[in-house]
Amino acid sequence: LQSIGSPAVVRPLLTLLHEGKIPAESDESVLGLIGSQGGPQELALVFDLVVADDQTPASRRAYLLSSLTKATRQRKIKPAGDLNRLSRLLVPESTDESLREIAARTAGLWQIESLRPQLIEFAQAAETSTALRQASLDGLGQLGGAASREVLEQLSAADQPLAHRMMAVGALASVDLNAAAARAVEVLADNTKD
C-alpha cells in the first residue's frame, strides 16, 4: 500500500475501512496512506466513522481521530464538513476518557470555537481528571486568542491548586509567552515555599 503513493487508492480503501473489511493488522498502513494522500473529503469519511458510530470501540475511534490530527499537523489539512460534530466526543456519558482527551486537543487544533466553553468547563472543574484537564488546557492553548489567554491566566493564578497552575502555565506559553514566563516565576516561587 505504501509503495502505491497515489491519491486514487484512497477512496476504495476508505470504503473497505468503513465496511470493516480491512484486517486489524493493516489499519495503521491504511490510515497512514489516507492521512498522507487523502484530501478533505476523504478525511471527512474517516471523521464520520469517529463521530457517527457508537458501535465502533472507543479505542478504534481514538485511533482514527489521532490519524486525522496527524494529517492536520503534517499537511495542514482538516476533514471537510461540520467539525462541530466533535462535540459528541466531549460528552462524558457517551465516550470514554481517552477519546475525550484526544477530542479536547483536536478541538483546539481544528480551531473549533464553539467547543471553547466545554474545554473551559473541563479545565476548571474540580472533578476533571488530570489527563483530561491537561488535554483541555492544551486545546485552549491551541485555540489561542484573548479568551484563551484570560482563562489560562485565571487558572494559573495563585488561588488555584499548584498542579493545575503548572499545567495552565504550559498552555499559556502557546498563547502569550511573556505572560507564561511571568506566571512560571510565580509558580516556581510558590512551589519552593511548600
Side-chain angles (χ1 to χ4, degrees):
L1 291 177
Q2 292 176 353
S3 64
I4 295 171
S6 169
V9 301
V10 172
R11 183 68 70 162
L13 285 174
L14 277 168
T15 301
L16 292 172
L17 183 68
H18 187 67
E19 293 171 354
K21 295 181 179 176
I22 300 290
E25 62 272 8
S26 298
D27 267 359
E28 188 172 331
S29 296
V30 170
L31 291 170
L33 183 60
I34 292 167
S36 67
Q37 300 293 322
Q41 297 302 322
E42 290 80 18
L43 296 180
L45 294 173
V46 175
F47 187 53
D48 289 346
L49 290 173
V50 172
V51 297
D53 188 2
D54 285 336
Q55 297 173 10
T56 301
S59 60
R60 180 164 172 79
R61 295 167 78 195
Y63 186 70
L64 292 171
L65 186 56
S66 293
S67 74
L68 294 173
T69 61
K70 183 177 179 182
T72 301
R73 283 189 177 92
Q74 291 179 347
R75 300 188 304 126
K76 310 293 185 224
I77 189 169
K78 298 186 273 192
D82 182 12
L83 298 180
N84 287 306
R85 295 180 301 152
L86 188 66
S87 65
R88 297 175 190 169
L89 304 182
L90 293 172
V91 179
E93 299 79 36
S94 66
T95 59
D96 76 355
E97 177 129 343
S98 64
L99 187 53
R100 281 194 305 276
E101 292 165 20
I102 295 168
R105 286 187 174 95
T106 303
L109 180 66
W110 288 351
Q111 299 290 298
I112 306 174
E113 186 63 38
S114 65
L115 298 183
R116 183 185 299 275
Q118 184 64 58
L119 297 180
I120 292 171
E121 183 180 326
F122 285 148
Q124 292 175 333
E127 66 275 1
T128 300
S129 71
T130 300
L132 183 55
R133 183 181 319 282
Q134 183 65 65
S136 298
L137 291 167
D138 292 346
L140 287 168
Q142 290 179 328
L143 269 173
S148 285
R149 180 183 176 182
E150 181 180 336
V151 169
L152 294 170
E153 284 183 336
Q154 290 170 359
L155 293 172
S156 63
D159 63 340
Q160 298 294 317
L162 186 60
H164 299 177
R165 292 175 67 196
M166 289 179 185
M167 288 187 274
V169 167
L172 182 59
S174 62
V175 177
D176 185 336
L177 191 56
N178 291 331
R183 284 296 165 109
V185 169
E186 295 170 12
V187 169
L188 289 172
D190 289 348
N191 191 33
T192 58
K193 292 177 189 176
D194 293 338

